[in-house]
Amino acid sequence: MTFVRVCGVGELEEDTPKRVELDGTPVSVVRTEGDVFAISDICSHANVSLAEGEVDDCHIECWLHGSRFDLRSGKPDSLPATRPVPVYPVKIEGDDVLVSLTQES
């Protein structure tokens, strides 16, 4: 599994998604509840950026229609989204946040 540095931990504000691109794949990186998560930045319902949404209780909410996705699994827990979004493995090395495009789910 290949990991790529996407940012420093210090660059991530708590509960504020950061949009990055890895090999042309948009990814939202989020620091919340003591962990860092990487999830597809594209809502499975409306093809919009999840990084523009809000984070609460380990979920990210799509700003357009309000679907919420679990940052740990990518599964939606509210309509209108019914399909999960990919989540990606994250490693922290020192202050570096590393993400692999190998999907966890």
Side-chain angles (χ1 to χ4, degrees), residues 18-68:
K18 179 179 181 71
R19 186 179 196 274
V20 299
E21 282 205 20
L22 294 175
D23 294 329
T25 301
V27 176
S28 287
V29 181
V30 181
R31 185 177 68 164
T32 188
E33 298 184 9
D35 277 317
V36 177
F37 301 93
I39 189 168
S40 172
D41 188 47
I42 305 300
C43 177
S44 63
H45 168 258
N47 197 30
V48 297
S49 173
L50 290 175
E52 296 178 35
E54 295 184 12
V55 174
D56 182 50
D57 192 28
C58 216
H59 288 77
I60 190 167
E61 182 176 310
C62 178
W63 63 271
L64 188 58
H65 295 116
S67 291
R68 287 172 32 104

Side-chain angles (χ1 to χ4, degrees), residues 49-96:
S49 173
L50 290 175
E52 296 178 35
E54 295 184 12
V55 174
D56 182 50
D57 192 28
C58 216
H59 288 77
I60 190 167
E61 182 176 310
C62 178
W63 63 271
L64 188 58
H65 295 116
S67 291
R68 287 172 32 104
F69 297 90
D70 189 308
L71 290 168
R72 297 162 290 212
S73 68
K75 293 179 182 174
D77 71 357
S78 63
L79 296 173
T82 58
R83 291 177 292 127
V85 294
V87 296
Y88 304 104
V90 174
K91 285 196 317 188
I92 307 296
E93 291 184 354
D95 185 52
D96 293 333

